[in-house]
Amino acid sequence: MTEHVLTVAGVAVDTRHWIGGERVASAETFTDVSPIDGSILGEISRGTAMEAAAAVAAAKAAFPAWAATPRAERARILHAVADGVEKRLEELAVVETTDNGALLRSHRRGVMPRVAHNFRFFADWLLKLEHEDFETRGHTNHVSWDPAGPSVLITPWNAPLMLATWKVAPALAAGNTVVLKPAEWTPLTASLLADIAAEAGLPAGVLNVVQGYGSEIGDALTSHPDVRRISFTGSVPTAQRIAASAAVNLTPLSLELGGKSPLLVFADADLDLAVDLAVEQYDNAGQVCLAATRFLVEESVAEEFTRRFVEKAGQLTQGDPRDEATDIGPNIHPLQLEKIDGFVRRAIAAGARAVIGGHRKDGQYYAPTLLTDVAQDSEIVQEEVFGPVLTLQTFTTEDEAVHLANDTRFGLAATLATGDPERAERVTGQLVAGTVWTNCFFVRDLQAPFGGSRHSGVGREGGTWSFDFYCDVKNTVTAPNGWRNHG
């Protein structure tokens, strides 16, 4: 062990950056704290503009060779990375839970297997990526996907490794090199990913990891003239700063931002199913961008829906996320907890009623909360809380339900509970959202487009959409019978 290696839940984690295939320390550090109990995990290298520039330079130097690497070889290496993830799945799960407080059982059974799947899916999709040639007045059109160049990927803290690899895997598959900047509250599994990628044979400089505060290194990454793609998941204000920075070089952006998604429950819905969907919105202590945080319930069933919801939510267990019996863990950071509590306190002061919850608990835990008597134009209805806080409003007509659902600046997702397929078709066709679920929630397929409308984002990723973003899509037109003898 060295001074730069932490032991977290029995797993050794290097605290330095990964740049050009080497570990690089910074003069300054920042403190990483576990949300489970507030314990200090260790000091992490705190990147500056110097490390950001070095990472971009390493990505630029590695780009020509990686871009020229045959598709089959790139795919083979990505599968090797997936093998490494699966080999270290338990280590990744326990480190991630310690670092971000999400349920260990979820990391073991769903999240970390999805990390491996991210690499396998895009490796396989790369090998079948093609567009059928077509003719224009006898000329042949051939579409191809050329690697774009170094890509900066800035990822959030609510599902750190899964959301990082959702970007890293397609960028690498496309032939781009990567500078990954993980969230400062959850840097540890990105460091482990660097080790896994190196062991899998990914060439030096193809994946670089720079840690630190976005306010200190963000502009150096996003305004760099050698960066050709930027993908960001996070808040609207940060995205606006990134967009302004990227505009200097007209660097293409993919932005997956906040949500204030609705759950529409019609009187003809299976109420037990609707309640199950509603309670599921407390997943990850409410720290899910896609969560349907606004319940819109038809007035005639609102009282019964609320009764069943309160009963079902009351069965949830909140506590240590390492315990298999726990359903809701802590929130990520004292600052986030204060933000959540501020939203609730202001809502109650404005006339909202807490049907359940509405208060902090010991440590970094917030009681699962449902607020009623909220106005459509109120802060609690219009702004993203990103905690276990839900609101309930009623409607009397289908048109009113659609109006309420669409009446925010966001448009990331929507969930609909109804027993009428014709109504489902009508309503989903009118909802402003990148993803709509009918009588289900959080069913995700990597070949589907993912992204948001309005202030919930710019662009789509997933399947071919990811390659469309991470590549320069080229059309080559060839004239008929235009070849001359040259021999």
Side-chain angles (χ1 to χ4, degrees):
M1 296 292 179
T2 73
E3 61 176 315
H4 298 296
V5 177
L6 305 177
T7 300
V8 179
V11 181
V13 184
D14 202 302
T15 64
R16 295 170 291 180
H17 314 288
W18 179 253
I19 300 174
E22 297 180 352
R23 289 292 178 178
V24 176
S26 293
E28 301 292 331
T29 64
F30 64 93
T31 304
D32 188 25
V33 177
S34 175
I36 298 174
D37 55 11
S39 61
I40 294 176
L41 300 178
E43 298 297 315
I44 312 298
S45 280
R46 180 172 173 173
T48 66
M50 180 174 68
E51 286 86 4
V56 174
K60 181 181 179 182
F63 173 67
W66 181 245
T69 300
R71 285 187 178 190
E73 177 62 8
R74 294 206 301 264
R76 184 194 68 77
I77 293 174
L78 292 186
H79 274 290
V81 174
D83 292 341
V85 169
E86 291 173 346
K87 181 180 179 181
R88 301 186 67 179
L89 189 146
E90 178 65 16
E91 294 180 5
L92 292 168
V94 296
V95 169
E96 194 86 294
T97 290
T98 305
D99 205 18
N100 92 322
L103 300 185
L104 180 57
R105 72 178 193 225
S106 295
H107 282 142
R108 284 172 170 158
R109 300 171 192 171
V111 178
M112 294 309 161
R114 165 67 185 273
V115 168
H117 179 61
N118 284 344
F119 284 102
R120 296 199 192 284
F121 173 87
F122 286 106
D124 293 341
W125 200 268
L126 169 66
L127 297 181
K128 63 182 181 181
L129 183 66
E130 63 179 352
H131 190 293
E132 185 177 349
D133 289 353
F134 58 97
E135 288 194 0
T136 304
R137 298 190 300 276
H139 297 64
T140 300
N141 294 264
H142 176 73
V143 177
S144 58
W145 286 262
D146 294 351
S151 302
V152 166
L153 312 179
I154 303 173
T155 55
W157 44 258
N158 59 322
L161 189 58
M162 193 276 285
L163 291 177
T165 56
W166 157 251
K167 301 176 187 295
V168 170
L172 295 180
N176 293 358
T177 51
V178 165
V179 178
L180 171 63
K181 193 280 180 192
E184 57 266 28
W185 289 348
T186 53
L188 299 183
T189 49
S191 181
L192 293 176
L193 177 64
D195 294 336
I196 291 170
E199 293 166 5
L202 193 70
V206 174
L207 172 65
N208 306 274
V209 180
V210 181
Q211 303 149 161
Y213 295 108
S215 59
E216 296 177 351
I217 63 175
D219 185 65
L221 291 171
T222 57
S223 67
H224 200 294
D226 292 331
V227 170
R228 294 315 314 140
R229 292 294 185 273
I230 299 169
S231 182
F232 168 73
T233 297
S235 71
V236 172
T238 301
Q240 290 169 329
R241 292 193 293 272
I242 290 172
S245 181
V248 175
N249 302 301
L250 295 179
T251 308
L253 293 166
S254 178
L255 304 173
E256 194 266 282
L257 310 177
K260 197 66 181 175
S261 302
L263 166 61
L264 294 84
V265 179
F266 287 91
D268 57 20
D270 178 335
L271 273 194
D272 286 334
L273 170 64
V275 168
D276 286 344
L277 296 175
V279 173
E280 195 174 346
Q281 307 312 312
Y282 288 131
D283 182 47
N284 201 19
Q287 298 168 145
V288 177
C289 58
L290 291 162
T293 57
R294 296 184 296 130
F295 299 165
L296 305 176
V297 184
E298 191 161 354
E299 192 174 89
S300 62
V301 296
E303 183 176 346
E304 179 63 14
F305 171 89
T306 303
R307 185 190 67 78
R308 296 191 197 185
F309 175 85
V310 169
E311 180 181 356
K312 185 85 173 180
Q315 298 170 10
L316 297 174
T317 299
Q318 187 167 27
D320 191 321
R322 297 166 294 193
D323 189 329
E324 279 281 316
T326 297
D327 300 304
I328 303 177
N331 289 99
I332 184 69
H333 193 277
L335 291 176
Q336 183 65 18
L337 192 69
E338 182 60 35
K339 176 185 174 185
I340 294 165
D341 192 46
F343 270 110
V344 174
R345 285 186 284 107
R346 290 190 298 273
I348 291 174
R353 180 172 65 93
V355 178
I356 59 171
H359 59 86
R360 301 168 69 149
K361 303 175 77 172
D362 291 339
Q364 286 176 208
Y365 295 79
Y366 202 89
T369 297
L370 176 65
L371 300 176
T372 59
D373 301 332
V374 293
Q376 179 63 20
D377 61 355
S378 63
E379 177 192 53
I380 196 67
V381 169
Q382 293 294 324
E383 298 299 326
E384 184 177 49
V385 178
F386 222 62
V389 178
L390 310 171
T391 63
L392 188 149
Q393 300 164 268
T394 62
F395 64 85
T396 56
T397 68
E398 187 177 294
D399 287 344
E400 183 186 9
V402 171
H403 170 74
L404 292 172
N406 289 338
D407 189 25
T408 75
R409 63 189 174 118
F410 297 104
L412 187 56
T415 303
L416 173 67
T418 179
D420 183 345
E422 293 182 356
R423 165 174 279 149
E425 184 176 0
R426 282 195 309 272
V427 172
T428 57
Q430 298 175 73
L431 294 175
V432 179
T435 300
V436 180
W437 287 288
T438 301
N439 294 326
C440 60
F441 177 66
F442 219 54
V443 178
R444 291 282 311 278
D445 193 311
L446 288 180
Q447 66 184 315
F450 180 73
S453 304
R454 297 175 176 168
H455 280 206
S456 286
V458 175
R460 296 290 184 272
E461 294 186 44
T464 301
W465 289 274
S466 284
F467 288 94
D468 288 345
F469 172 68
Y470 287 109
C471 291
D472 289 323
V473 183
K474 178 191 294 179
N475 185 43
T476 301
V477 184
T478 303
N481 305 317
W483 308 111
R484 296 178 180 274
N485 292 330
H486 56 278

